[in-house]
Amino acid sequence: VDSLNSSIVAVCCGLGTADVPFQEISTNGGASWRQVSLPHAATIQALATRGARTYAILVARDDSRQQMLAASDDGLRTWHAIDATLPTSGYSRLWVNPATGALLLESWPNGLTKELWSSDDDGAHSQQIIFPVPSREVVELTVRQPSVAAPWHICALYLDDAGGGIVCTGDGGRTWAQLPPLVDLPGSLSDVYEIVALPEDGSILVVGTTNSDPIRLLYRLPAGATRWQSLGPKPPKSTGGVAYAPTPDGNDALWTFPAESSGGGAPEPTGAVYSAPYPY
């Protein structure tokens, strides 16, 4: 689903050797579909539309698995590459600021280190955002999807010999701040498993466990606070990730869904879907 225009949806693929590959898109929320032809018979990995221009990460289906940052100005019918100045590869995620058109791209060029690259001129020039910790230690990146003209707000979860932590920037990487450790009691550190989201109110949401309780709990660090707040445990039968969904009217929500089975056990109940208003 397009990250800025939910009426634009792409579906694929048929990746097995005996499958017939296909890529279809809808620009009216799934009411109708049409097949599209992409360079190198690629599939669409990410979509973001601003005005009449759609940006996408395309992944070639051939043995090269080459990835391309591309743009379309005719409703996803034809594409052209805009990543000639990017000295990286292995794109994984894309963000577009709808107010300014600024681009942010996450890459994983060697399968070992994560990188972030930004562009303010539609890919003509790109700048790398440098983390305050070695990039090889960064295991997770979370970016707030902007809605107004503002610098990128980014948080990086890192692991090092001391256990790791979270660092965040609200000015596109010029300055970074170390977040306080996640604690349930004074001196009792915890392991952070994932950053959920960076809500518009300036807080940060994570899912983790504490030394005193192995159940996965939701935690919130309000803007400017020095201590995390516990929001309680996740629903017990919904072990998939937690999703934060902002809305224009401020009625934000948290959602959890069943985890996808790895094949090693029975799938979770399909009805294990929960939501809660945020903040709550």
Side-chain angles (χ1 to χ4, degrees):
V1 180
D2 191 294
S3 62
L4 297 179
N5 184 346
S6 59
S7 64
I8 299 176
V9 186
V11 64
C12 71
C13 300
L15 296 178
T17 56
D19 294 337
V20 177
F22 68 93
Q23 177 81 70
E24 294 194 0
I25 62 101
S26 172
T27 56
N28 53 17
S32 62
W33 296 84
R34 60 179 170 83
Q35 193 165 0
V36 295
S37 178
L38 299 173
H40 308 289
T43 58
I44 297 172
Q45 181 171 302
L47 282 173
T49 298
R50 177 178 181 260
R53 168 160 287 198
T54 296
Y55 300 90
I57 297 174
L58 306 181
V59 183
R61 277 205 188 97
D62 56 27
D63 292 339
S64 71
R65 303 295 296 167
Q66 181 181 356
Q67 293 175 312
M68 175 195 304
L69 178 62
S72 174
D73 298 312
D74 56 5
L76 287 73
R77 289 176 173 81
T78 60
W79 297 86
H80 60 276
I82 59 170
D83 56 0
T85 67
L86 277 168
T88 185
S89 60
Y91 311 139
S92 52
R93 288 189 294 172
L94 167 69
W95 297 266
V96 177
N97 186 317
T100 66
L103 307 177
L104 185 67
L105 186 72
E106 178 184 316
S107 67
W108 202 26
N110 53 15
L112 299 174
T113 58
K114 291 182 179 292
E115 296 179 353
L116 275 176
W117 293 82
S118 65
S119 174
D120 295 327
D121 54 10
D122 228 28
H125 302 86
S126 301
Q127 306 81 38
Q128 186 175 6
I129 294 177
I130 303 300
F131 307 121
V133 297
S135 58
R136 66 179 181 277
E137 296 177 351
V138 175
V139 296
E140 181 183 351
L141 292 169
T142 302
V143 177
R144 178 188 296 159
Q145 172 59 57
S147 57
V148 297
W152 296 105
H153 192 153
I154 306 161
C155 286
L157 170 65
Y158 68 93
L159 297 176
D160 59 14
D161 292 339
I166 299 175
V167 290
C168 295
T169 177
D171 56 14
R174 287 187 291 273
T175 60
W176 293 81
Q178 178 79 45
L179 268 58
L182 188 62
V183 298
D184 61 337
L185 295 172
S188 178
L189 301 181
S190 75
D191 295 320
V192 177
Y193 288 115
E194 64 178 295
I195 303 174
V196 173
L198 308 178
E200 293 280 352
D201 61 7
S203 63
I204 178 172
L205 297 173
V206 303
V207 173
T209 62
T210 65
N211 289 343
S212 62
D213 193 341
I215 297 176
R216 288 177 57 127
L217 303 173
L218 274 166
Y219 288 90
R220 174 179 182 264
L221 184 69
T226 58
R227 186 174 179 84
W228 294 84
Q229 301 172 344
S230 174
L231 301 183
K234 288 179 53 183
K237 294 182 179 180
S238 186
T239 60
V242 179
Y244 163 74
T247 61
D249 58 8
N251 295 321
D252 301 351
L254 298 176
W255 290 84
T256 65
F257 302 93
E260 185 174 348
S261 173
S262 63
E268 293 185 342
T270 56
V273 179
Y274 300 85
S275 69
Y278 177 85
Y280 64 96

